[in-house]
Amino acid sequence: MWVAQKKNGKYIIRERYTDPYTGKTKIASLVIERNTSQAINKGSAVLSEKIKNLTKINYSYNKKTFGELYEEWFRYYKIQNKRTSWIKVPFMVDKHILPVITKEMLIDRVDAPLIMKIVDTMYTFGTYSLNYTKQTRTTLSAIFSFAVDKEYLETNPVTKTKVMPKREIERQQRKKLNDKYLENAELHLLLEALYANPRCQLHAMIAEFLALTGLRYGELQAIQWKNFTEKSISIEGTLDYTLSRMQDAVKTSTKNESSERVVELPQKAINILLDIKNINTMKYGIAPEDYIFISNQKTPLTIHAFNSIIKRVAKNAGISKNVTSHIFRHTHVSILSESNIPLKAIMERVGHSDANTTLQIYNHVTKKSKAQITNALDNIF
């Protein structure tokens, strides 16, 4: 602090302080009548209070650590999202974010270069996939968006970053797009192998039903007889057993708003449900609240049990692709694409509001169809 005399004979005391919004040094001042110890002490106290008011707005924000922000955000996130969504977050944060942005770090010190360090470690110079790295960045962006909503920060530093695809690796991945779905011949080969095994009848019916409807496996597990109207099924939830046994599974909401839908059934799919209805009625009896695709334990077949069987059967049948429950969803998209069904209609049927893989498969299959058209024309004469 220092004192200077003004031209009018009065005195002015000045004090430097740091602007909490810019980090720059500024000067606060106060006019006093006389240059005496008593006047200066009194003015100094007033000036200190003035500086306190100038800096107190963001003082608590500057003291907010990333650990505190994450814990506060996660409390909200758990309430607003399904358990299957939030249960993965702590591992992602501990594994990839906290080694770079530590819990003790002040959130207003986190900048784009620091965030890009996470991206570079995971993907640019690392071995994690593009999609998983994008998911991690999206989670971090949600945390800092929460900070902006709470007025802890003015801007979200994550918005200044991008995850740039590695051209050669992404080119190779696009080449593998065929592996994401089964060709018609492969689908028929797998279904024949499953139906030929008396112990795989339920697996066969599930696989065929998934290919005919494009359902997610969790949606299929959660279908109850009350959801079947003889011509369609209403998708209103998924089955959550991530932290419990299948016997204690809970039917929760769908993945997102677009996932809640009514799926019109082709006759083959209807016949599958009618066959299961007869089987379950003879074995256990059925009620509207009962799940449809149940195992001998009278509970829906777990995804692990389903995948382990179809992987083995597919391999024995000579199918080299990674066959899991989700490949039937992509197969359904490819079947509709080959039938020239509009993309919007396909996305509505499978419950997608924004689906990159659906779009990729649609474009890929329609390009193949165009090539088949020209080949057919070339063979006319």
Side-chain angles (χ1 to χ4, degrees):
M1 186 187 70
W2 68 98
V3 182
Q5 188 172 18
K6 299 182 68 175
K7 290 181 179 180
N8 62 5
K10 294 184 179 181
Y11 294 86
I12 185 168
I13 56 176
R14 294 185 175 93
E15 182 68 271
R16 292 186 178 86
Y17 71 95
T18 301
D19 187 322
Y21 292 100
T22 65
K24 295 182 178 180
T25 300
K26 291 188 176 181
I27 297 176
S29 61
L30 181 73
V31 175
I32 58 177
E33 296 291 332
R34 292 172 293 185
N35 186 15
T36 63
S37 297
Q38 185 177 2
I40 292 173
N41 289 338
K42 185 177 179 180
S44 178
V46 174
L47 185 59
S48 295
E49 187 65 25
K50 182 178 180 180
I51 292 174
K52 182 179 178 181
N53 289 333
L54 287 171
T55 58
K56 74 177 182 180
I57 296 174
N58 213 35
Y59 182 79
S60 61
Y61 300 166
N62 285 338
K63 296 299 182 182
K64 178 76 72 174
T65 66
F66 180 74
E68 293 169 340
L69 173 64
Y70 166 61
E71 289 179 6
E72 185 178 355
W73 167 81
F74 192 55
R75 287 198 298 271
Y76 283 90
Y77 189 77
K78 286 178 67 174
I79 295 173
Q80 297 165 353
N81 292 270
K82 296 174 60 176
R83 182 168 55 184
T84 49
S85 296
W86 62 253
I87 196 172
K88 309 169 188 175
V89 172
F91 173 81
M92 179 187 289
V93 172
D94 290 344
K95 177 75 174 178
H96 304 296
I97 296 177
L98 290 182
V100 179
I101 304 175
T102 64
K103 289 184 177 182
E104 297 77 20
M105 192 174 292
L106 299 178
I107 60 173
D108 63 356
R109 298 296 187 264
V110 177
D111 55 13
L114 199 61
I115 294 164
M116 283 306 301
K117 185 176 179 181
I118 297 173
V119 172
D120 291 342
T121 301
M122 292 183 65
Y123 175 71
T124 311
F125 305 108
T127 58
Y128 289 95
S129 69
L130 175 64
N131 286 340
Y132 184 55
T133 305
K134 283 183 175 180
Q135 289 174 16
T136 304
R137 179 187 173 277
T138 298
T139 300
L140 190 57
S141 183
I143 295 172
F144 279 101
S145 290
F146 175 82
V148 173
D149 292 341
K150 287 286 188 176
E151 298 184 353
Y152 300 153
L153 292 172
E154 290 186 0
T155 60
N156 180 350
V158 184
T159 59
K160 300 177 182 178
T161 66
K162 291 182 179 179
V163 185
M164 300 301 293
K166 292 183 280 192
R167 291 186 180 276
E168 180 59 25
I169 291 178
E170 299 311 318
R171 184 183 68 81
Q172 293 173 4
Q173 289 182 350
R174 284 194 294 272
K175 279 186 173 182
K176 296 179 181 178
L177 193 58
N178 279 332
D179 293 340
K180 289 184 178 291
Y181 61 90
L182 296 172
E183 300 286 355
N184 286 340
E186 293 172 322
L187 177 60
H188 288 129
L189 181 63
L190 176 59
L191 291 178
E192 286 175 8
L194 286 168
Y195 277 117
N197 189 332
R199 301 180 64 181
C200 295
Q201 298 306 294
L202 178 60
H203 301 79
M205 288 188 283
I206 289 176
E208 187 173 8
F209 194 81
L210 290 174
L212 290 168
T213 60
L215 299 186
R216 300 177 179 92
Y217 194 80
E219 294 171 342
L220 175 129
Q221 289 176 310
I223 301 173
Q224 298 164 288
W225 287 113
K226 66 179 182 181
N227 302 132
F228 176 41
T229 64
E230 304 298 332
K231 292 184 179 180
S232 65
I233 50 171
S234 56
I235 306 303
E236 56 184 24
T238 60
L239 212 58
D240 182 8
Y241 52 96
T242 52
L243 297 178
S244 60
R245 301 175 304 165
M246 179 56 78
Q247 291 89 335
D248 303 318
V250 177
K251 187 171 181 177
T252 63
S253 60
T254 54
K255 183 176 181 180
N256 50 52
E257 188 175 343
S258 300
S259 299
E260 192 167 325
R261 64 202 187 278
V262 174
V263 178
E264 299 296 325
L265 299 175
Q267 190 58 48
K268 282 187 177 180
I270 294 173
N271 292 341
I272 289 172
L273 294 184
L274 293 178
D275 287 344
I276 291 180
K277 190 172 188 178
N278 290 332
I279 294 170
N280 290 357
T281 299
M282 288 187 294
K283 283 185 174 181
Y284 321 110
I286 62 171
E289 299 292 328
D290 290 340
Y291 295 115
I292 294 177
F293 293 94
I294 57 175
S295 66
N296 291 331
Q297 283 70 44
K298 301 182 183 180
T299 59
L301 189 67
T302 67
I303 192 169
H304 174 74
F306 178 71
N307 283 341
S308 63
I309 293 295
I310 61 171
K311 278 179 181 290
R312 185 173 72 247
V313 173
K315 183 178 180 180
N316 292 338
I319 299 173
S320 59
K321 295 177 179 178
N322 181 30
V323 177
T324 67
S325 64
H326 210 65
I327 202 170
F328 299 107
R329 182 169 168 82
H330 294 163
T331 300
H332 184 73
V333 171
S334 73
I335 292 170
L336 298 183
S337 301
E338 287 179 350
S339 302
N340 298 315
I341 305 299
L343 176 61
K344 187 175 185 298
I346 296 175
M347 292 179 68
E348 288 178 353
R349 181 172 175 82
V350 299
H352 271 155
S353 58
D354 180 22
N356 186 48
T357 302
T358 298
L359 181 60
Q360 287 179 345
I361 292 175
Y362 181 86
N363 289 336
H364 183 69
V365 172
T366 51
K367 283 180 182 177
K368 287 171 59 179
S369 299
K370 290 177 182 177
Q372 291 170 359
I373 291 172
T374 56
N375 290 335
L377 293 173
D378 286 337
N379 294 325
I380 290 178
F381 304 105

